C-alpha cells in the first residue's frame, strides 16, 4: 500500500501558479453548530482562502477537516478555527461564513395564539495577516411594511401592506444578542408578521398601524433600523430592506451602511 506522504501534492505545484488575487474554497457544506444556549442548528458553511504565492491551489480537505471537524462546532470557537485553518493553508487571507435558520415562538397580539416565526443568521469571519480575525453577525427576518402613500391616497378606505425582508449586520459575535437584533427589526417595520392570527388578532394588527402611525417606506425602515441598532450599542451596522410589493410588479429596496449593498441577496442556508 502506498504511503500517503509519498502521494503527489498537486495543489502546491509551482509550474502553473494561480494569480495572487485568486481565492478558492468550498461552499454549501452542512455542519452541526452549537449555540451558546446549548441549542444545536445545522449550518451551511462557506470558506475560501487566498491561494498561497507560487501555488496552484488551496488544500480543500484541510478547509473541511479543521473548520468542520468531526463533532458539533461551538459558534464561539469560530475565530479560533479560522486562525488554525489559515495557518494550515499558509495563506494570507481567509473568509468563512456559517449560515442557519432558526425559530422563535411568537404570540398573536390579542388571543395569544402561538406559532413559530423563522429567521436566519449568518456569522462571517475574515482573517488577514495584518488584521487578524474579525467577526460580523447578520440577522434576516420578515416584517410588515404598510405603505404611507396608499394611506394618504385612500384615507379611511384602507391601504395596502407588504411583507418586507429586513437584514441587519453588525460587528462582532452577537449571537447572544439575537433577540435584541430581532426586536430592532420588528420595531423598525410597521408591525411584526405572525405565524397564526385569529380575527381579533388581525383587527389589532391593522388598528395599531393607525394608532401608532407606523406606516413605513423601505427608506423609513432602513433609517429606523440604523437608529435602533445605534441606540442598542451595536457598532458598524449595515442594513438591507426589501419590500415585496403587493400592487407593483417589482420590489422596493433600500440600503444603509458601508456593506448594505453586499447583503442584498439574502442569507443562503
Amino acid at each position: 500500500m502506498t504511503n500517503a506522504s509519498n502521494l503527489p501534492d498537486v495543489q502546491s505545484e509551482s509550474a502553473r501558479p494561480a494569480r495572487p488575487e485568486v481565492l478558492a474554497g468550498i461552499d454549501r457544506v452542512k455542519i452541526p453548530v452549537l449555540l451558546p444556549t446549548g441549542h444545536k442548528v445545522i449550518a451551511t458553511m462557506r470558506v475560501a482562502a487566498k491561494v498561497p504565492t507560487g501555488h496552484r491551489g488551496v488544500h480543500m480537505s484541510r478547509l473541511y477537516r479543521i473548520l468542520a471537524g468531526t463533532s458539533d462546532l461551538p459558534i464561539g470557537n469560530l475565530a479560533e478555527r479560522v486562525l488554525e485553518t489559515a495557518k494550515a493553508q499558509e495563506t494570507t487571507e481567509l473568509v468563512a461564513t456559517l449560515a442557519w435558520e432558526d425559530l422563535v415562538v411568537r404570540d398573536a397580539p390579542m388571543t395569544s395564539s402561538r406559532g413559530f416565526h423563522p429567521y436566519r443568521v449568518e456569522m462571517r469571519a475574515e482573517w488577514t495577516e495584518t488584521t487578524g480575525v474579525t467577526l460580523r453577525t447578520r440577522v434576516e427576518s420578515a416584517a410588515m411594511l404598510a405603505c404611507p402613500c396608499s394611506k394618504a391616497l385612500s384615507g379611511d378606505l384602507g391601504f395596502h401592506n407588504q411583507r418586507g425582508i429586513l437584514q441587519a449586520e453588525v460587528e462582532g459575535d452577537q449571537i447572544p444578542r439575537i433577540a435584541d437584533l430581532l426586536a430592532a427589526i420588528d420595531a423598525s417595520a410597521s408591525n411584526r408578521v405572525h405565524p397564526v392570527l385569529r380575527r381579533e388578532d388581525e383587527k389589532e394588527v391593522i388598528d395599531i398601524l393607525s394608532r401608532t402611525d407606523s406606516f413605513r417606506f423601505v427608506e423609513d425602515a432602513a433609517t429606523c433600523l440604523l437608529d435602533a441598532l445605534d441606540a442598542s450599542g451595536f457598532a458598524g451596522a449595515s442594513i438591507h430592506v426589501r419590500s415585496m410589493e403587493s400592487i407593483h410588479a417589482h420590489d422596493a429596496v433600500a440600503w444603509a451602511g458601508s456593506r448594505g449593498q453586499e447583503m442584498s441577496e439574502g442569507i443562503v442556508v
Side-chain angles (χ1 to χ4, degrees), residues 28-120:
R28 298 182 181 178
V29 179
K30 299 294 185 181
I31 65 170
V33 169
L34 189 64
L35 303 182
T37 58
H39 176 49
K40 184 167 70 174
V41 293
I42 303 302
T44 299
M45 181 178 75
R46 171 190 292 174
V47 56
K50 184 169 285 189
V51 178
T53 303
H55 286 205
R56 183 175 176 180
V58 302
H59 293 82
M60 305 289 185
S61 61
R62 293 181 193 174
L63 295 176
Y64 187 98
R65 289 200 320 268
I66 300 174
L67 262 174
T70 57
S71 60
D72 300 346
L73 168 61
I75 193 64
N77 291 0
L78 179 59
E80 177 186 335
R81 293 278 184 93
V82 164
L83 179 58
E84 185 181 351
T85 306
K87 290 180 178 178
Q89 286 289 345
E90 303 176 44
T91 185
T92 59
E93 182 179 342
L94 188 140
V95 181
T97 61
L98 292 173
W100 63 90
E101 187 171 69
D102 210 342
L103 300 168
V104 62
V105 175
R106 186 165 283 186
D107 291 342
M110 299 300 291
T111 65
S112 297
S113 300
R114 285 197 159 183
F116 293 101
H117 175 75
Y119 63 93
R120 293 183 172 189

Side-chain angles (χ1 to χ4, degrees), residues 130-202:
T130 55
T131 64
V133 179
T134 58
L135 299 173
R136 293 184 68 84
T137 304
R138 176 160 52 133
V139 175
E140 176 184 295
S141 181
M144 176 182 173
L145 294 173
C147 180
C149 187
S150 71
K151 173 62 174 175
L153 291 172
S154 64
D156 294 331
L157 296 178
F159 44 86
H160 66 87
N161 305 316
Q162 294 88 225
R163 183 152 49 94
I165 303 297
L166 288 78
Q167 297 178 50
E169 183 183 277
V170 292
E171 292 178 0
D173 175 3
Q174 303 298 344
I175 301 304
R177 297 191 65 188
I178 290 297
D180 294 336
L181 291 168
L182 289 172
I185 286 174
D186 286 340
S188 303
S190 299
N191 205 334
R192 286 179 163 185
V193 294
H194 298 271
V196 57
L197 293 170
R198 301 177 71 175
R199 279 174 293 180
E200 305 96 308
D201 302 310
E202 290 190 25

